[in-house]
């Protein structure tokens, strides 16, 4: 006994010594949870070596030695503890993990086999809750169904001892490993109810929230490090986040903190290798990898982590090689096999589907593999469309309806962008379009719940939602595909070595170059943010995509990135932008490339901020933008109407006056403020723009000529206004202004090619313009959409075909009569056809 224990025994008496011992362990446990690892090792070393001491002492000592990187000492301590506590399953499992970290696989496997024999024998081991959790871990290592382990073994342990940390940690870790983030969050939250401020649980909760609620995840990590400033898992999670945000200096600083705790940590060295790769320092990368494998030379986790992070940077080929190396070390390492499957799929290699199926056969609980296998069955029914540059896969029905439009759009993007950027593409480009948002999410992210994304490019593979997946939200699918193909161009030009802000900025900028109504419009709110000094410094702009405050801030990040490209082109030329991309391919850092081709990054950021501010202040210069302020009504004065009248050129005043008149249905009065808005801010977009509301006023007043003009002007700047397209087609048809009908039908199809209306209008206009082949194609597509009056569509087709293809015309007229036997015009057309078989009029 230590002197402390002897003193407690004399003071309390032998009956209460056990309670005192527990209290003593608890105090050292508190030191451990606060990151006082050196003190824990000093206090626990003699206790762990003492005879007849409880197994918590060697457990604490092994954990502390492991955290600081003394892996061999941890293995020795654990082995000695097993000798002293031969019935402890928990210590045997702890020892097996300790020996595995030293690379001693035979000893580690032998200890696991001993546990199996003890469990099979049904006796000879301690059946406490901690032991039950250890049995569950052995069952997982032996290939048992993870769901059975969760619902049976771990659940039994939790009921046996609801306070035990091991159970919550095991449940949460298993759920994280299987990408079951909801279950992981519940497990760690339950653990925090029992152990508030526990850094392990706070970190686990953060990891489970990173993909769904990053701000809350960061708060949880902050709390974890407040409780334990030396908590290595939390520090490494922040390293991971910093690399994602391209804040590489911050990642380096955090790694130094990890190394101050454990200079031999394999994951820390793996992250070092990733950072060196991103700096194009192959020698440092190799040294870091070797250091990561120093303690355990065939540790698959090192290459798996390096490869996973490289793949997240779109270096899929390099990432796949690291997964293959991990699988050489351990062929059964499922995380590496699954990541390899995803890498190959993102490279357009169908072998990925087979690997995903293999992972699913071996692990039915893994949600990502299950999702991919299920998606594979769906995609097996997809149609495939090809040309010299593209392979497009999509639902068969959608392929029949607008597949040709997809190929035409992509081919146009190819002809415009490839030459402009001087790139030789690795062809073909694979494009996969999904009519289900969940399927798109699985193909793109491995998980179905990723709302907000319209398309993603991996360098050679594009995934996108079809219009059918964007229910209730008008989205220009042509602009989306143009945007994503621009990523193909720039990612291949740079060998995927470009910051996210630059990649997104160029794609949005090129949308606007192709069509002024595409891309991001300069809105009043964007103006307010820029004038209010809310620009993100260019060097940190990629982080704005990763952790936006709100969805709107994410949209602003896209807008700002495109504004940076506009600044680059105007101030330094498109050739300078292309040179920056070529420098990135050669391995230069973005700061270095901009400094060489444009100007040093500090000056660049200053000049861009001035450029953006000038653009914001120059938005609709005839309007005043100051908002009225009051304490009683934030943003608006009490006597708003009077204020609005006194500020006739103020944007907010004009909007308020218009709203007041529209609410009262004073259409004539509403025209004046709305007309002023459209004159002074002609590029405003959206359903609340001056254009949209002025068109509604003219329609209410029956002023069709004025409405026609307003709709025409509105649609020149706004590409996501389907109701405006519909109304303008209606007005243009009444005027027999067929070119306008064609133009707006095409606009409507760029939003939704899966409805009948635009094809009906398009066919009618094309026929009037004597564009018979185009009208025939429109009517044929219309038939595939189950129109309300198929007989009339067949008749229109027959009438167009009769002068060139009489047999086809006859088939269509007979189909018209089958649907509508008394269709007079169809009967008349059939009678006029050569060699026509006339129907029996009596029948």
């Amino acid at each position: 006994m230590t002197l402390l224990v002897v003193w407690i025994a004399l003071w309390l008496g032998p009956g209460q010594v056990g309670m005192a011992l527990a209290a003593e362990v608890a105090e050292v446990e508190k030191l451990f949870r606060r990151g006082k690892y050196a003190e824990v090792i000093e206090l626990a070393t003699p206790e762990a070596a003492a005879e007849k001491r409880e197994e918590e002492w060697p457990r604490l000592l092994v954990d502390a030695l492991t955290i600081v990187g003394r892996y061999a000492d941890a293995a020795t301590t654990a082995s000695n503890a097993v000798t002293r506590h031969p019935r402890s399953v928990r210590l045997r499992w702890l020892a097996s993990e300790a020996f595995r970290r030293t690379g001693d696989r035979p000893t580690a496997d032998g200890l696991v086999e001993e546990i199996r024999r003890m469990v099979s024998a049904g006796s000879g081991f301690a059946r406490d809750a901690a032991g039950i959790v250890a049995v569950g871990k052995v069952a997982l290592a032996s290939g048992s169904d993870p769901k059975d382990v969760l619902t049976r073994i771990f659940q039994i342990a939790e009921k046996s001892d609801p306070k035990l940390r091991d159970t919550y940690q095991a449940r949460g870790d298993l759920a994280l490993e299987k990408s079951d983030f909801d279950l992981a969050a519940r497990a760690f939250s339950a653990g925090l109810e029992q152990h508030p401020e526990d850094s392990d649980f706070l970190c686990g909760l953060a990891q489970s929230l990173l993909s769904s609620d990053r701000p809350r995840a960061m708060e949880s990590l902050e709390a974890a490090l407040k409780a334990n400033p030396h908590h290595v898992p939390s520090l490494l999670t922040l390293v991971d986040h910093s690399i994602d945000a391209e804040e590489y200096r911050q990642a380096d600083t955090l790694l130094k903190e990890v190394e101050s705790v454990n200079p031999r940590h394999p994951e820390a060295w793996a992250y070092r290798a990733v950072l060196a790769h991103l700096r194009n320092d192959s020698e440092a990368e190799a040294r870091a990898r070797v250091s990561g494998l120093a303690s355990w030379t065939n540790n698959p986790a090192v290459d798996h982590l390096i490869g996973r992070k490289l793949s997240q940077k779109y270096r899929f080929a390099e990432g796949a090689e690291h997964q293959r190396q991990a699988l050489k070390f351990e062929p059964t390492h499922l995380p590496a096999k699954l990541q390899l499957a995803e890498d190959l799929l993102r490279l357009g290699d169908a072998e990925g589907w087979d690997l995903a199926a293999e992972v699913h056969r071996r692990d039915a609980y893994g949600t990502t593999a299950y999702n991919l296998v299920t998606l594979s069955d769906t995609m097996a029914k997809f149609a495939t469309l090809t040309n010299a540059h593209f392979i497009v896969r999509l639902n068969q029905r959608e392929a029949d309806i607008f597949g040709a439009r997809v190929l035409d759009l992509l081919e146009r993007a190819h002809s415009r962008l490839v030459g402009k950027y001087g790139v030789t593409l690795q062809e073909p480009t694979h494009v996969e379009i999904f009519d289900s948002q969940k399927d798109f999410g699985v193909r793109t992210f491995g998980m179905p719940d990723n709302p907000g994304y319209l398309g993603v490019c991996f360098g050679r593979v594009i995934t996108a939602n079809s219009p059918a997946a964007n229910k209730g939200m008008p989205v220009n699918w042509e602009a989306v595909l143009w945007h994503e193909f621009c990523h193909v161009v720039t990612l291949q030009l740079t060998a995927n070595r470009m910051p996210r802000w630059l990649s997104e900025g160029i794609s949005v900028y090129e949308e606007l170059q192709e069509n002024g109504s595409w891309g991001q419009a300069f809105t009043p709110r964007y103006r307010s943010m820029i004038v209010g000094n809310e620009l993100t410094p260019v060097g940190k702009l990629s982080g704005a995509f990763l952790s936006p405050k709100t969805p709107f801030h994410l949209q602003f990040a896209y807008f700002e990135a495109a504004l940076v490209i506009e600044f680059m082109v105007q101030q330094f030329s498109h050739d300078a932008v292309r040179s920056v991309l070529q420098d990135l391919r050669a391995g230069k850092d973005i700061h270095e490339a901009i400094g060489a081709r444009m100007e040093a990054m500090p000056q660049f950021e200053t000049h861009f901020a001035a450029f953006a501010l000038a653009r914001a202040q120059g938005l609709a210069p005839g309007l005043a933008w100051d908002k009225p302020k009051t304490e009683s009504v934030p943003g608006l004065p009490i006597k708003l109407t009077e204020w609005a009248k006194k500020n006739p050129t103020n944007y907010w005043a004009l909007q308020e006056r218009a709203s007041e008149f529209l609410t009262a249905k004073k259409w004539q009065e509403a025209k004046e403020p709305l007309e002023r808005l459209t004159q002074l801010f002609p590029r405003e977009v959206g359903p609340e723009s001056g254009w949209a509301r002025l068109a509604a006023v003219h329609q209410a007043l029956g002023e069709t000529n004025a409405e026609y003009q307003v709709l025409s002007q509105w649609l020149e700047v706004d590409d996501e206004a389907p109701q405006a397209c519909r109304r303008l087609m209606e007005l243009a048809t009444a005027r027999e202004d067929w070119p306008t009908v064609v133009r707006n039908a095409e606009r409507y199809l760029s939003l939704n090619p899966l409805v009948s209306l635009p094809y009906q209008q398009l066919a009618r206009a094309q026929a009037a313009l004597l564009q018979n082949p185009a009208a025939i194609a429109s009517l044929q597509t219309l038939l595939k959409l189950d129109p309300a009056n198929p007989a009339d569509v067949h008749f229109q087709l027959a009438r167009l075909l009769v002068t060139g293809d009489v047999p086809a015309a006859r088939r269509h007229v007979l189909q018209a009569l089958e649907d509508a036997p008394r269709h007079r015009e169809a009967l008349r057309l059939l009678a006029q056809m050569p060699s026509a078989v006339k129907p029996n009029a009596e029948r």
Side-chain angles (χ1 to χ4, degrees):
M1 285 189 182
T2 64
L3 289 175
L4 174 63
V5 176
V6 170
W7 181 84
I8 292 173
L10 291 171
W11 181 263
L12 296 176
Q16 300 184 52
V17 170
M19 294 176 60
L21 291 175
E24 183 186 357
V25 170
E27 290 304 313
V28 179
E29 178 91 29
K30 288 179 182 178
L31 290 175
F32 180 86
R33 298 296 162 199
R34 292 201 298 270
K36 306 291 185 180
Y37 304 122
E39 291 93 326
V40 171
I41 291 170
E42 182 180 358
L43 291 169
T45 296
E47 302 296 342
E51 293 293 334
K52 299 182 180 179
R53 295 289 276 156
E54 63 270 33
E55 64 181 70
E56 288 302 315
W57 286 112
R59 192 269 304 168
L60 264 175
L61 181 56
V62 169
D63 284 348
L65 290 169
T66 299
I67 286 174
V68 301
R70 292 171 56 179
Y71 301 122
D73 291 344
T76 300
T77 300
S79 180
N80 292 339
V82 169
T83 301
R84 292 191 183 91
H85 302 273
R87 298 177 66 247
S88 174
V89 172
R90 185 191 199 185
L91 286 178
R92 268 187 169 75
W93 174 255
L94 193 68
S96 74
E97 289 186 310
F99 278 106
R100 190 176 300 277
R101 289 189 191 94
T102 67
D104 188 349
R105 179 75 177 266
T107 301
D109 290 347
L111 286 161
V112 171
E113 184 57 36
E114 287 178 18
I115 296 173
R116 290 197 191 99
R117 287 198 297 268
M118 291 168 69
V119 174
S120 297
S123 61
F125 68 95
R127 296 175 180 270
D128 59 350
I132 294 171
V133 172
V135 169
K137 292 179 178 179
V138 171
L140 290 171
S142 304
S144 296
D145 185 341
K147 285 190 176 180
D148 284 345
V149 173
L150 273 172
T151 57
R152 296 180 182 178
I153 300 178
F154 290 164
Q155 195 172 70
I156 292 171
E158 185 175 346
K159 288 180 179 178
S160 174
D161 183 359
K163 289 280 187 184
L164 182 69
R165 293 185 71 264
D166 298 29
T167 311
Y168 302 106
Q169 190 77 56
R171 283 173 50 203
D173 288 347
L174 177 58
L176 277 179
E177 180 187 334
K178 304 304 180 185
S179 299
D180 192 343
F181 300 119
D182 288 341
L183 180 59
R186 292 198 299 272
F188 291 122
S189 295
L192 286 167
E193 290 177 6
Q194 299 292 338
H195 303 274
E197 300 183 0
D198 186 292
S199 293
D200 285 341
F201 295 157
L202 286 165
C203 179
L205 179 61
Q207 291 170 340
S208 66
L209 293 172
L210 277 170
S211 61
S212 61
D213 190 347
R214 195 171 286 266
R216 186 179 162 206
M218 301 309 289
E219 290 175 6
S220 190
L221 285 174
E222 184 179 347
L225 288 168
K226 183 178 179 181
N228 177 0
H230 306 296
H231 192 249
V232 171
S234 293
L235 291 169
L236 289 174
T237 303
L238 285 174
V239 169
D240 198 280
H241 171 81
S242 298
I243 292 175
D244 289 346
E246 299 173 13
E247 295 177 354
Y248 301 135
R249 292 182 182 177
Q250 176 69 13
D252 185 72
T253 299
L254 289 163
L255 283 172
K256 288 178 181 176
E257 292 187 43
V258 173
E259 289 157 5
S260 70
V261 178
N262 180 359
R264 307 175 67 194
H265 200 292
E267 287 186 27
W269 283 109
Y271 282 119
R272 286 277 184 212
V274 172
L275 289 171
H277 183 101
L278 297 175
R279 292 193 302 266
N280 205 36
D281 189 343
S282 57
E283 292 183 4
E285 179 184 3
R287 288 196 302 271
R289 179 178 176 275
V290 169
S291 296
L293 294 169
S295 300
W296 177 2
T297 57
N298 58 351
N299 180 2
V302 171
D303 278 293
H304 170 60
L305 176 55
I306 295 171
R308 179 172 62 81
K309 295 310 296 178
L310 292 182
S311 294
Q312 288 174 357
K313 293 297 180 183
Y314 283 28
R315 316 286 177 88
F316 300 112
E318 298 98 315
E321 285 306 307
H322 279 283
Q323 302 309 332
R324 292 189 191 280
Q325 181 58 58
L327 290 168
K328 286 181 182 178
F329 287 154
E330 188 175 311
T332 59
H333 194 262
L334 293 187
K337 189 159 289 189
L338 180 58
Q339 183 63 51
L340 178 58
E342 293 189 273
D343 288 344
L344 293 176
L345 290 174
R346 288 163 183 167
L347 289 165
D349 188 337
E351 181 191 350
W353 297 115
D354 296 332
L355 286 171
E358 181 183 342
V359 172
H360 179 57
R361 284 195 297 271
R362 297 186 55 194
D363 178 10
Y365 179 31
T367 55
T368 300
Y370 169 78
N371 289 337
L372 287 172
V373 168
T374 303
L375 178 62
S376 177
D377 294 339
T378 299
M379 292 187 66
K381 302 171 186 176
F382 274 18
T384 302
L385 309 176
T386 63
N387 63 17
H389 302 122
F390 297 94
I391 296 175
V392 178
R393 300 190 68 201
L394 70 171
N395 173 288
Q396 180 66 62
R397 176 176 178 269
E398 295 191 352
D400 293 341
I401 293 169
F402 74 108
R405 288 180 176 273
V406 170
L407 281 177
D408 289 345
L409 182 281
L410 290 169
E411 198 60 37
R412 191 167 81 247
H414 188 282
S415 66
R416 301 273 175 86
L417 296 173
V418 170
K420 183 174 182 178
Y421 285 88
V423 63
T424 300
L425 296 183
Q426 181 186 7
E427 291 180 333
T429 298
H430 297 256
V431 180
E432 297 170 359
I433 301 174
F434 297 90
D435 59 330
S436 162
Q437 200 281 331
K438 289 185 176 181
D439 287 345
F440 164 77
V442 169
R443 178 65 177 92
T444 307
F445 308 104
M447 302 297 289
D449 298 320
N450 286 276
Y453 287 90
L454 303 174
V456 172
C457 172
F458 297 111
R460 193 183 172 192
V461 174
I462 292 171
T463 60
N465 279 310
S466 91
N470 298 319
K471 296 176 181 177
M473 178 177 64
V475 174
N476 191 312
W477 63 267
E478 292 185 352
V480 170
L481 289 183
W482 195 279
H483 179 106
E484 300 305 333
F485 181 72
C486 188
H487 282 313
V488 173
V489 170
T490 56
L491 288 172
Q492 292 199 35
L493 176 57
T494 60
N496 288 9
R497 296 172 179 172
M498 63 189 307
R500 175 151 184 200
W501 70 260
L502 182 61
S503 180
E504 297 295 356
I506 291 176
S507 284
V508 176
Y509 174 81
E510 288 298 345
E511 283 185 65
L512 288 162
Q513 296 305 297
E514 174 59 19
N515 188 321
S517 68
W518 290 0
Q520 287 266 32
F522 212 134
T523 67
R525 190 170 176 186
Y526 289 164
R527 182 192 185 280
S528 296
M529 292 179 74
I530 295 173
V531 172
N533 200 30
E534 291 189 58
L535 279 177
T536 301
V538 177
K540 296 184 177 181
L541 188 49
S542 289
F545 290 90
L546 184 66
S547 300
K549 295 178 183 178
T550 66
F552 182 83
H553 283 80
L554 176 60
Q555 292 303 311
F556 183 66
Y558 281 96
F559 174 78
E560 182 182 341
L563 201 59
V564 177
I565 306 305
E566 183 182 335
F567 168 71
M568 287 177 156
V569 173
Q570 287 192 15
Q571 299 298 312
F572 305 101
S573 80
H574 173 75
D575 286 342
V577 174
R578 199 161 79 170
S579 295
V580 167
L581 298 178
Q582 291 165 343
D583 287 348
L584 292 174
R585 182 184 184 90
K588 285 187 178 181
D589 172 78
I590 183 61
H591 290 222
E592 182 184 1
I594 287 177
R597 301 294 183 175
M598 297 175 181
E599 59 184 346
M601 182 59 83
Q603 288 76 31
F604 180 90
E605 289 185 328
T606 299
H607 293 153
F608 166 68
F611 170 83
L613 181 60
R615 282 292 312 276
Q617 292 175 335
L619 180 69
L623 287 173
W625 292 93
D626 53 303
K627 288 186 178 182
K629 295 180 180 179
T630 181
E631 293 180 0
S632 58
V633 184
L636 299 174
I638 299 172
K639 297 180 179 179
L640 179 59
T641 302
E642 294 180 12
W643 178 87
K645 289 178 180 178
K646 294 176 182 178
N647 293 271
T649 60
N650 182 281
Y651 174 80
W652 311 104
L654 289 168
Q655 287 280 14
E656 174 57 30
R657 288 187 63 210
S659 296
E660 180 186 355
F661 292 134
L662 290 171
T663 300
K665 296 185 178 180
K666 295 181 179 180
W667 311 119
Q668 199 67 40
E669 291 86 343
K671 286 165 64 174
E672 185 270 329
L674 290 171
E675 286 173 349
R676 183 163 292 190
L677 278 171
T678 59
Q679 290 163 6
L680 298 177
F681 191 6
R683 295 200 65 79
E684 186 178 17
V685 301
E688 297 301 314
S689 69
W691 293 117
R693 300 204 289 176
L694 184 57
V697 165
H698 287 310
Q699 184 175 10
L701 291 171
E703 298 171 348
T704 55
N705 289 340
E707 182 189 1
Y708 186 89
Q709 294 302 319
V710 168
L711 289 170
S712 298
Q713 291 172 283
W714 176 17
L715 288 166
E716 289 300 318
V717 298
D718 195 340
D719 71 319
E720 294 183 350
Q723 295 305 318
C725 285
R726 178 191 293 264
R727 178 62 176 163
L728 189 51
M729 281 190 290
E730 179 183 332
L731 295 176
T733 298
R735 290 175 167 220
E736 297 187 356
D737 180 356
W738 304 120
T740 297
V741 174
V742 170
R743 184 161 57 252
N744 285 283
E746 294 287 354
R747 281 174 175 155
Y748 200 106
L749 290 172
S750 72
L751 295 170
N752 191 351
L754 300 173
V755 293
S756 299
L757 175 66
Y759 296 104
Q760 292 171 346
Q761 299 283 48
L762 193 57
R764 184 174 180 182
Q766 288 164 334
L769 293 168
L770 302 181
Q771 299 172 355
N772 285 6
I776 290 168
S778 296
L779 289 168
Q780 288 172 335
T781 302
L782 179 58
L783 281 175
K784 296 169 185 174
L785 288 164
D786 299 322
N789 189 353
D792 189 60
V793 179
H794 281 295
F795 167 70
Q796 297 298 336
L797 268 170
R799 191 165 61 178
L800 290 170
L801 288 164
V802 72
T803 58
D805 188 346
V806 173
R810 182 178 292 110
R811 285 196 300 273
H812 281 290
V813 79
L814 290 174
Q815 285 176 284
L817 290 168
E818 182 178 346
D819 289 330
R822 298 184 181 278
H823 195 298
R824 292 180 179 275
E825 291 180 286
L827 288 167
R828 189 177 301 115
L829 180 60
L830 182 60
Q832 294 169 354
M833 287 183 182
S835 306
V837 178
K838 299 179 182 179
N840 187 342
E842 299 295 326
R843 189 170 54 189

